[in-house]
Amino acid sequence: MKALQLLAHGTPGTFDLRDLPDPQPSDGEVVVAVRACGLNHLDLWVEQAGLPIEIKLPLTPGCEIAGEVLRLGPGVTGWKSGDRVAVQSNLFCGACEYCRRGQESMCLNNVMLGVQRDGGFAEQVAVPARALVRLPDNVDFNTSAALTLAGSTAMHMLTTRTTVRPGAWVLVIAGASGVGSAAIQIARGLGARVISTGSTAEKRDLAQRLGAEAVLDLAAPGWTAEVRKITGKHGVDLAVEHVGGAVLKSVFNCLSRDGTVVTCGATGGRETTLDLWPFFVKQQRLIGSYGRDAADLKATLDWAAQGRLKPVIDRAVPLAEAPRALARLRSRQVLGKIVVLPT
Ligand SMILES: [Zn+2]
């Protein structure tokens, strides 16, 4: 089978499109014929060794996989060849205290697909059967590959780690990003009023089309005052944040009393400071969110099947073009998701 392998880290890294032996499923695993795999910021971190995790090379990256079951390993039940599936990228053990109560995102033995073992930039990939989620009939492979990772991350933030009251004000940072575009749609679907941000006119326009009633530029001075004005001085009840650094700090300036910031990323900086006086006087919350539980991924696909959650797809590219697509993602020229096809 063909696989795009990362041979050396760098910006850009060194990739090679190789012919490799077909993967064989171990106990409890299946081999999935990859039909589409989404491109994510996580792939950039893998490429440039930007994760606090040891990565063994060569590696086949790719963490947002949609495809069809091809071969079953020993002990696998409930699946057959040809079943259409999405694959949960945080491979959970199914046995630790968190997995046993359905909190797979907190698994003590988590393995990241496409980071710590070979992923979906290939024609085939072996994964544990417990990581499979059945694709609803009317959700196609590209939709799944463009939605399941970022979309389920947003679903976890908005429905599992926090809740959204109908009529609440929700601020979604970077509304044209994968997480942001899903978060706008989910917040709207839950009855919230949404304010978002975007760094270009195109991105702000997209966030508006997805349902944000106001979209601001984080580079504009006084944007947090603008949020307070739009919300009639109330501030936002919930802020969905995934940039970190100075952005996370500034988000607190537009947060209401009893408001919550939920954050799942730090692409703009891992460290920040927080003025604790307004934080406790206004009785606010800062909540971390990581990955997704199996239930979040199922909910994401159900929303997609119902037409309530639609991915924004920038383009689909063949495997050989994936390194160039990563460069586009790094340069922030992408509007929505890039999907890699194993052709
Ligand atoms: Zn576990």
Side-chain angles (χ1 to χ4, degrees), residues 148-161:
T148 47
L149 194 139
S152 62
T153 298
M155 190 64 76
H156 188 61
M157 295 173 90
L158 288 160
T159 64
T160 300
R161 300 297 293 151

Side-chain angles (χ1 to χ4, degrees), residues 92-100 104 106-110:
F92 51 94
C93 74
C96 74
E97 60 179 297
Y98 298 102
C99 284
R100 284 202 306 271
E104 294 88 356
M106 307 219 189
C107 177
L108 296 172
N109 307 300
N110 176 56

Side-chain angles (χ1 to χ4, degrees), residues 1-9 12-20 47 57-61 118 121-122 319-324 326:
M1 65 140 190
K2 285 201 171 13
L4 182 74
Q5 291 213 297
L6 177 64
L7 306 185
H9 295 295
T14 307
F15 289 93
D16 190 25
L17 186 59
R18 294 176 153 181
D19 275 311
L20 297 179
E47 184 182 12
L57 300 181
L59 172 83
T60 305
D118 286 336
F121 293 170
L319 263 185
E321 298 290 321
R324 207 175 307 168
L326 283 165

